[in-house]
Amino acid sequence: MLKYIGCHLSSSNGFLAMGKQASEIGANTFQFFTRNPRGGAAKPIDPADTASFMDFAAENGFGQIVAHAPYTLNPCSADEKIRRFAFDTFTDDLRRMEYVPGNLYNFHPGSHVKQGAEKGIELTSELLNRVLFEDMHTTVLLETMAGKGSEIGRSFEELRAIIDRVELSGKLGVCLDTCHVFDGGYDIVNSLDRVLDEFDRIIGISRLKALHLNDSLNTLGSHKDRHAVIGGGSIGTQALAAVMNHPAFDGKPVILETPNDLDGYKKEIALLRSLAK
Ligand code: FE
Ligand code: FE
Ligand code: ZN
């Protein structure tokens, strides 16, 4: 099975530069922040750059790429100003993604900060109802979260509750982060099939659109969210390879968000390719 494996890259030199950099390290997909991860204005889109990237990606057999919303985007904040920033950023990012149609936009469902998970779910689905549009060509991904602090999206049930409240839910998918679900209490080391069956029962396996492949510095159910290099944490290389090779992820982008420089990523991609079935 052909695998689409890549890592997180810096977007500062544009799309074609990211595509070439990905190729150089053996990747055929990648992830990038749509703007500074801590927020702020995005560089204007250069239509010549996005067009050359689309050609490059097709010629080099790339899979879908994953745009990641900035960490500061919190759709369910109690603060109206922060929710406004989330709306403005989300809207602008989805408009920009139309220059690279057919790809994925991943975001963290948010932190409810003392309002309760139910209120958080309500506010996040409200935002999705305002930003998704009928003729968009991007699939928006809710990332599975570790449940650190007051994060929502820490269980499959919470993700399902958000999706259920969204009118254009056909535009929505889920990105499974191995470190986050493990820290969230899903035992992908000893019961991968059971976890994915549960995902299927609660959310539906067809919603699974991308994989963040990270080891975890912490233990099952720790609700911590600290990524480790592949094999450098409590999930381990074999279990991570089993997730990557599970048929549920066939044809889906596998993205490393491990603490690495480019050379480290290159080595991890080679390792994963050697373990790919
Ligand atoms: Fe993330
Ligand atoms: Fe992630
Ligand atoms: Zn994380």
Side-chain angles (χ1 to χ4, degrees):
M1 186 73 195
L2 170 69
K3 291 279 174 196
Y4 299 114
I5 305 174
C7 62
H8 194 92
L9 294 176
S10 156
S11 61
S12 46
N13 296 312
F15 281 90
L16 183 60
M18 286 191 282
K20 287 183 170 167
Q21 192 167 54
S23 261
E24 276 161 26
I25 58 169
N28 49 1
T29 179
F30 58 87
Q31 176 175 270
F32 62 100
F33 283 123
T34 54
R35 58 194 73 219
N36 183 305
R38 275 160 292 281
K43 267 191 20 182
I45 285 274
D46 170 4
D49 174 54
T50 50
S52 336
F53 165 71
M54 291 300 277
D55 289 344
F56 180 89
E59 281 157 19
N60 289 277
F62 272 45
Q64 286 179 302
I65 56 166
V66 185
H68 196 304
Y71 290 144
T72 44
L73 191 156
N74 184 6
C76 63
S77 169
D79 183 337
E80 156 56 299
K81 274 204 298 285
I82 294 173
R83 290 207 306 278
R84 168 113 274 233
F85 169 82
F87 171 79
D88 290 343
T89 301
F90 218 119
T91 303
D92 188 44
D93 281 353
L94 290 185
R95 186 185 59 76
R96 298 156 58 87
M97 287 299 287
E98 290 298 304
Y99 285 88
V100 286
N103 288 300
L104 306 165
Y105 180 78
N106 175 70
F107 78 108
H108 295 175
S111 293
H112 64 72
V113 207
K114 296 192 185 127
Q115 302 173 98
E118 203 146 318
K119 181 71 183 170
I121 287 163
E122 204 183 293
L123 287 169
T124 294
S125 36
E126 217 170 83
L127 175 110
L128 287 167
N129 278 323
R130 291 168 63 213
V131 298
L132 301 181
F133 52 102
E134 196 81 60
D135 58 349
M136 60 190 279
H137 300 86
T138 301
T139 301
V140 170
L141 306 184
L142 300 147
E143 184 167 350
T144 59
M145 301 310 292
K148 175 170 46 97
S150 65
E151 276 172 354
I152 61 164
R154 67 199 150 152
S155 68
F156 299 158
E157 285 82 358
E158 287 188 359
L159 294 173
R160 173 63 199 255
I162 297 169
I163 294 167
D164 273 346
R165 286 168 172 76
V166 175
E167 272 167 60
L168 295 176
S169 61
K171 310 289 182 193
L172 294 178
V174 172
C175 173
L176 188 124
D177 185 310
T178 52
C179 169
H180 297 177
V181 291
F182 184 76
D183 286 17
Y186 293 98
D187 190 356
I188 52 171
V189 176
N190 298 301
S191 336
L192 176 63
D193 279 327
R194 210 187 315 150
V195 170
L196 289 175
D197 282 349
E198 192 175 333
F199 185 99
D200 188 36
R201 196 161 30 80
I202 295 164
I203 301 177
I205 209 78
S206 62
R207 294 270 182 200
L208 211 44
K209 304 290 187 195
L211 175 63
H212 283 168
L213 202 70
N214 305 307
D215 215 326
S216 171
L217 283 179
N218 295 101
T219 51
L220 179 71
S222 60
H223 301 291
K224 285 274 181 20
D225 186 7
R226 288 191 61 209
H227 302 188
V229 294
I230 303 301
S234 41
I235 303 177
T237 308
Q238 290 319 310
L240 289 166
V243 180
M244 171 185 78
N245 286 321
H246 193 283
F249 294 103
D250 281 356
K252 315 282 160 65
V254 175
I255 305 289
L256 292 160
E257 300 175 308
T258 47
N260 266 313
D261 55 15
L262 270 185
D263 196 53
Y265 278 135
K266 185 178 178 175
K267 290 182 180 125
E268 280 193 344
I269 291 166
L271 169 70
L272 294 177
R273 293 216 183 275
S274 77
L275 298 169
K277 286 205 180 99

